[in-house]
Amino acid sequence: MTGGAGFIGSHLCERLLAEGGDVVCVDNFLTSGLHNIEHLMQHPRFRFSYRDVCQGLEVDGPVDAVFHLASPASPTDYLRLPLETLRAGSAGTWNALDLAASKNARFLLTSTSESYGDPQIHPQTEDYWGNVNPVGPRSVYDEAKRFGEALTMAYRRSRDVDAKVVRIFNTFGPRMRPDDGRAIPTFVRQALEGKPLTVTGDGTQTRSLCYVDDMVGGLVQMMAGEHGGPVNLGTPHEVSMLHLAGWIIELTGSSSEIQLVPRPQDDPEKRRPDITMARELLGWEPKTTVERGLRETIVSLSSRLNQEASVGHG
Ligand code: NAD
């Protein structure tokens, strides 16, 4: 797996190990750290390889499946790392596909709802081609993923690789970084620190929020199936940013208030997956309620912030 030390990747490593698999996790900690996988390092079926996927991939022995997750994923990260993001999506995906082709392994690209850009249809179905600004700041991510999708399909057609694409919609859960800039960790951090929760625009823009355990289940099922996709994975249930902020204030028991701030450029108004394909092809749909997921996430972020505070004071 590439990007296995990241937020989703570390949960996927745990799931594959729990199912009896051997896992080789390739990561260069560009947007993560050892702390996400430290608890796995002594596991007899876990191997870690510190490596940039753009430099080529080598794995000793047979490989059944290549999950390709390596890429900066949060807007804060990809706007800060534009060239690294384009390279991970292009050269990185190419190398991961070459590895799959050379090992006769299955391949799964974790693409994104951002492939749809600022969508003009709602909810988004897989046959919608999207509304992407190819030269805007977010294009480094959107277009890299769209190129990765095209490359994956080309390997499927011309190299006979059992390669698949999923488009992941907003996913949340434990091990998100408190500073990754996404709405949930930002709101939780602000609520725990008693600061105002900064909601962008008028707060009516919505996101659909899928809990990471459900997402990981979808990735495993997609890899095991025959279909090449793309298949949307996410929660069809939408939450407005204003509602989410209020919810987090309530669950953290915070006395913080909500503050409206300007919206970033190209920030999509709404995104909601149509998951009919995932339901029909994989029998998959998210099971965890947003509230349960938020509770787990708050516990994890709060312990991370406490650790950071004690290191800061130590
Ligand atoms: P993350 O930033 O936590 O994880 C990405 C991992 O990739 C990190 O461990 C990072 O160090 C690694 N990485 C980046 N560039 C690399 C390189 N060149 N070589 C080796 N490792 C590299 O992000 P995440 O949220 O876990 O996302 C995982 C994947 O899922 C990404 O491909 C992302 O685009 C996709 N995705 C995530 C979401 C979401 O809501 N989290 C939504 C859509 C798509």
Side-chain angles (χ1 to χ4, degrees), residues 177-220:
R177 295 201 324 270
D179 62 347
D180 88 352
R182 288 187 262 214
I184 290 180
T186 305
F187 291 163
V188 171
R189 197 190 65 229
Q190 291 168 331
L192 292 172
E193 291 174 351
K195 295 186 178 145
L197 274 66
T198 46
V199 172
T200 63
D202 63 2
T204 55
Q205 71 275 22
T206 61
R207 293 292 181 273
S208 60
L209 302 166
C210 182
Y211 189 57
V212 66
D213 281 358
D214 292 325
M215 181 55 60
V216 160
L219 299 180
V220 171

Side-chain angles (χ1 to χ4, degrees), residues 2-10 26-33 36 51-54 68-74 77 84 87-88 92 109-114 141 145 167-172 175-177 180 182:
T2 74
F7 157 53
I8 298 179
S10 59
V26 179
D27 206 297
N28 65 352
F29 297 147
L30 183 65
T31 56
S32 62
N36 279 349
R51 196 176 180 91
D52 180 342
V53 283
C54 305
H68 178 45
L69 281 74
S71 167
S74 80
D77 286 337
E84 290 83 349
R87 216 178 277 133
L109 172 71
T110 53
S111 188
T112 170
S113 58
E114 297 210 25
Y141 185 61
K145 289 290 186 181
R167 295 192 181 129
I168 298 180
F169 283 65
N170 284 326
T171 301
F172 74 104
R175 301 204 194 105
M176 292 185 96
R177 295 201 324 270
D180 88 352
R182 288 187 262 214

Side-chain angles (χ1 to χ4, degrees), residues 73-277:
S74 80
T76 310
D77 286 337
Y78 62 69
L79 294 175
R80 176 174 64 87
L81 300 163
L83 300 182
E84 290 83 349
T85 303
L86 283 161
R87 216 178 277 133
S90 52
T93 305
W94 209 298
N95 291 334
L97 277 159
D98 271 347
L99 175 70
S102 71
K103 299 282 184 181
N104 205 12
R106 292 165 175 244
F107 175 91
L108 179 68
L109 172 71
T110 53
S111 188
T112 170
S113 58
E114 297 210 25
S115 288
Y116 298 120
D118 194 357
Q120 289 166 325
I121 66 151
H122 194 68
Q124 291 84 54
T125 44
E126 290 84 348
D127 56 3
Y128 177 54
W129 291 351
N131 177 35
V132 171
N133 173 356
V135 293
R138 298 174 81 108
S139 66
V140 297
Y141 185 61
D142 303 355
E143 295 291 24
K145 289 290 186 181
R146 288 166 70 98
F147 174 80
E149 291 192 17
L151 193 63
T152 303
M153 289 305 159
Y155 267 73
R156 188 176 171 90
R157 285 187 207 106
S158 70
R159 295 278 181 90
D160 211 19
V161 176
D162 186 0
K164 309 118 194 291
V165 173
V166 288
R167 295 192 181 129
I168 298 180
F169 283 65
N170 284 326
T171 301
F172 74 104
R175 301 204 194 105
M176 292 185 96
R177 295 201 324 270
D179 62 347
D180 88 352
R182 288 187 262 214
I184 290 180
T186 305
F187 291 163
V188 171
R189 197 190 65 229
Q190 291 168 331
L192 292 172
E193 291 174 351
K195 295 186 178 145
L197 274 66
T198 46
V199 172
T200 63
D202 63 2
T204 55
Q205 71 275 22
T206 61
R207 293 292 181 273
S208 60
L209 302 166
C210 182
Y211 189 57
V212 66
D213 281 358
D214 292 325
M215 181 55 60
V216 160
L219 299 180
V220 171
Q221 276 175 261
M222 184 70 188
M223 183 66 101
E226 297 309 316
H227 203 276
V231 171
N232 290 337
L233 292 180
T235 299
H237 177 70
E238 268 175 296
V239 185
S240 78
M241 290 298 102
L242 211 50
H243 184 78
L244 180 67
W247 212 349
I248 288 176
I249 290 177
E250 194 184 313
L251 290 175
T252 51
S254 169
S255 56
S256 294
E257 292 183 348
I258 291 173
Q259 185 186 348
L260 299 179
V261 298
R263 279 198 47 203
Q265 190 186 346
D266 292 342
D267 185 38
E269 185 57 36
K270 36 181 165 178
R271 273 221 207 92
R272 176 158 67 97
D274 181 313
I275 60 163
T276 309
M277 261 181 104

